[in-house]
Every structure is written in structure tokens, then in C-alpha cells.
Amino acid sequence: MHSDVAISVKNLTKTYRIFGHPGDRIKQALTFGQKRYHKEFTALNDVSFEIKKGETVGIIGRNGSGKSTLLQLICGILKPTSGSVDVNGRISALLELGAGFNPEFTGRENVYFQGAVMGFTKAEMDARFDDIAAFADIGEFIEQPVRTYSSGMYMRLAFSVAISSEPEILIVDEAFSVGDVVFQHKSKKRILQLRDAGTSLLLVSHDRNAVAAMCHRCILLDKGHLAMDAMALDVMDYYYATIAANGGVAVRQTHSDFGKAQTLSGSGEAVVESIRLLDNANYEIEVLVPGQEVTLEFHVKSKEEIPRLILGFAIRDQFGQEIYGINTKSYDQELKNVSKGSNYIFRFSFFANIGIGTYSISTALTSTNDHLENNYQSCDLAYFFSVHNTGQRFFGGVAWLNPILEIHRF
């Protein structure tokens, strides 16, 4: 393996034996393998890829696609049926947080126990303990048995221990929902600090925004096979288009009215015919400046009679992170008893107090507050616009706050 490679996976296959009854395992052993009492399930089939040092790679795929098996093979928890995994560097995995905690031990005792498991001496853990305790921020509970902890406290301490090793390779499996909102932000910041310091990051998540924002490259697993390995945004677009197509109600296509590549899904009982972004003189624009007053206009048509109609939209940045989202239910403006062939214009007017960059708009037409149920039409990447700097408003960040400056001499 080359010195610049952190993880090398070659022709990796993992097959499990599934026994119908616990006694079948003994029966098969007594026949010395001459008679089979099991079925075989291949969770991972001939998968190969490399991750270079300092690279950030997302792993996505539906439940049962082989993601967890792959992680356990990389971490050495499982042995492959065939193929190989080579790891070059100190590895830390945020998989089942706190799985090794003893409920009768105090938080302090579990910290030192886990440190020993990771290969650290007592002196090394002495040097780390205060930082771990401060990051977990569970106060005096650090001296209490962990069986007395709430689930949030338990996960906070487990996360703090897991990241304390300053690993060269970090594997994160759906760990961004740990604890309360404040801790989620703090933990994500810590992961980003490790990444920016050169840690190789392998991120497994169903969170489109997290993968798009943190990973340049993404690997898609499908029924144990490596289905795609490419730029993160390309893989995410393909993944969601595939999900929609497999549901029998969606296609990935170019819609002539929007003129943009998009992912459409839904029953089609109501559709967004067109989207326009207008300035305060009612002229259509595609480029605006921070803080500009604009109107987002949606032309919606009902193809069938529907009892209730709600329109929602979300604005996302180039990393897929949602900047803002809302629907007409929030205004108590859902439409009821919509007749077939009806046409509506929805207009949302606001000041675009957002930062420099390119943005996309996603839409959803539903009868409920959740577009995953009773979905008439859901469209990702339905419309695009850009925010440019005119030379008068230089600032950093994603929001234009338009502060009032006062200077007083005294």
C-alpha cells in the first residue's frame, strides 16, 4: 500500500451463514459440513476502493446495502470472507457509541477503561481526562455510575472519549444527532477540526446536507455492490434519483419549463408548472445582491380533484445545506377542495439576506405537512439563482445581517 493511502479495500466480500434454528449450527458441525443447515447471505460483494490520507469520503446507500458491514471490516471487528482491508494509521470509529461502557462504573472509570482499550496508558489518559470531561459537559455526573445517566449524557461522554484519541483515520456513522442542539454543533465542529488537521474522514450518513457539505467524494453501496464512486454531489443526485425511480413514481429528467436538471417524484395530481424570481419592479432575474427585495413566484396546476393542497419550498446552498424552508401550512394558507384543472400563483416576497454564492430551490406539493406522505410532486434542484457581490458589501458568512454602524468619539 502506498504511503499516501489511509485505507485500501480490495475485492472485499463478506458472506454470513443464516441458520433457521440455533440447533442447526450444531447439526451442521456434527455432519462435518457434509450437510448444509444454513442459507448464505452476501452482505458485501467484491468491493474495491482506496481512501488517501486527508481525504473526506461519504458512504451512502439504503438500509441493508452493506454500509455497517463495510465499517466493521475496516475497523477489524469482522473478518472478510475474501479480499482484504489494509489500514495505514491510528483509527477511531464512532459506531455504536458507548457500547463498551460498564453501567456500574462511574463516568471517570469508564473513561479510563475505554482509554486502556484504545491503547493509552494511565498517564496519557490523565493528560486527556480534563478535556474529555469538559467536552462532555455532564458536570458532577462524571463521578456517578453511568446507569444513572440519561441517554443524552451517556452519548455525550461516549462521543467525547471516542474523539479524544486524535485519530489519523476517523469513521463516523450517523453520529451528528448526539445530544442536544448545542452539543451537536460542538461535536460537528470538532469533527471538522480533525478533518482540517489532516485526519482521513469516512462519513456514513443519510443526511444529504452533511454529506454534501463535508465530503468531496462519495461512495454508493447498493445490495452489497459498489454502485458509484464519484464527486459527492453527483453521487447524491444519482442516489435520490434512483430511489425515486425505484418507487415507480419518479424520474430524473430535464423539465422544459424549468430548463434545469432535477429529480421529480410524486403522484402528479398537482404540479409546479414554473418558477420565477422577480425583483421589486416585477422583472425576472437570476442574479441578485445581498439584501435585495425579491419575490419567488410559483405557478401550480392541479391535474385532479384534491382535498387539500400545500406548497413548500427550500433554498439550499451549493453544498446542499438548507438555508431556509417554509410551506403554506405555516401561514395557515393551505387550499381545500381544489378542483381539477385549477391554476394558482403563489408569491413569497422577502429580502434576500443571504451570502455570496449559488443557490438552488426545491419544491414540494402535498396534502400534509410532511412531503414524504401524500406527495403530489416533490422536485429537487427545481430552480437556481446566484448572489453576487457588487463591490459595496464585502462580508463573510451565509447571512447578510445589514447591521447599522454607529461610531461615537468620547
Side-chain angles (χ1 to χ4, degrees), residues 290 318 354-359 387-390 393 395 397-398:
Q318 59 183 325
I354 53 180
I356 310 304
T358 301
Y359 298 86
V387 179
H388 287 187
N389 196 328
T390 61
R393 294 174 174 174
F395 69 100
V398 298

Side-chain angles (χ1 to χ4, degrees), residues 199-237:
T199 297
S200 302
L201 177 61
L202 190 59
L203 171 64
V204 177
S205 179
H206 290 286
D207 186 340
R208 178 191 181 100
N209 293 344
V211 173
M214 300 182 70
C215 304
H216 293 108
R217 175 183 163 204
C218 193
I219 292 171
L220 171 62
L221 294 179
D222 182 26
K223 298 178 181 179
H225 296 271
L226 196 157
M228 191 174 183
D229 183 352
M231 298 294 289
L233 290 176
D234 292 337
V235 176
M236 296 299 287
D237 284 348

Side-chain angles (χ1 to χ4, degrees), residues 289-292 315 317 321-324 351-357 359 387 389 393-403:
V289 297
Q292 182 173 343
I315 299 175
D317 67 12
Q321 297 183 97
E322 187 169 321
I323 302 300
Y324 182 77
F351 291 93
N353 294 320
I354 53 180
I356 310 304
Y359 298 86
V387 179
N389 196 328
R393 294 174 174 174
F394 291 98
F395 69 100
V398 298
W400 166 249
L401 299 182
N402 196 23

Side-chain angles (χ1 to χ4, degrees), residues 13 15 28 52 73 109 119 136 169 202 225 241-242 282 290 392 408:
T13 297
T15 300
Q28 181 161 311
K52 293 186 177 181
L73 287 165
E109 291 168 337
I169 302 169
L202 190 59
H225 296 271
T242 301
N282 224 33
Q392 299 175 343
H408 300 277

Side-chain angles (χ1 to χ4, degrees), residues 31-93:
T31 64
F32 300 99
Q34 294 180 4
K35 189 172 181 180
R36 289 179 54 169
Y37 289 87
H38 70 272
K39 295 180 180 179
E40 291 189 344
F41 170 70
T42 300
L44 216 59
N45 192 351
D46 196 29
V47 171
S48 299
F49 62 86
E50 285 187 341
I51 296 176
K52 293 186 177 181
K53 290 183 177 180
E55 192 174 13
T56 301
V57 179
I59 304 286
I60 63 171
R62 292 188 177 190
N63 292 334
S65 63
K67 301 190 302 296
S68 296
T69 297
L70 175 61
L71 297 188
Q72 292 179 71
L73 287 165
I74 292 174
C75 294
I77 299 171
L78 296 176
K79 297 295 183 183
T81 304
S82 62
S84 64
V85 178
D86 291 313
V87 176
N88 182 15
R90 185 174 62 255
I91 190 169
S92 181

Side-chain angles (χ1 to χ4, degrees), residues 29 47 66 96 113 157 160 184 188 227 253 263 267 296 324 341:
V47 171
E96 297 181 18
F113 177 73
L157 183 61
S160 302
Q184 289 176 30
K188 186 174 181 181
Q253 63 182 46
T263 302
S267 62
L296 196 53
Y324 182 77

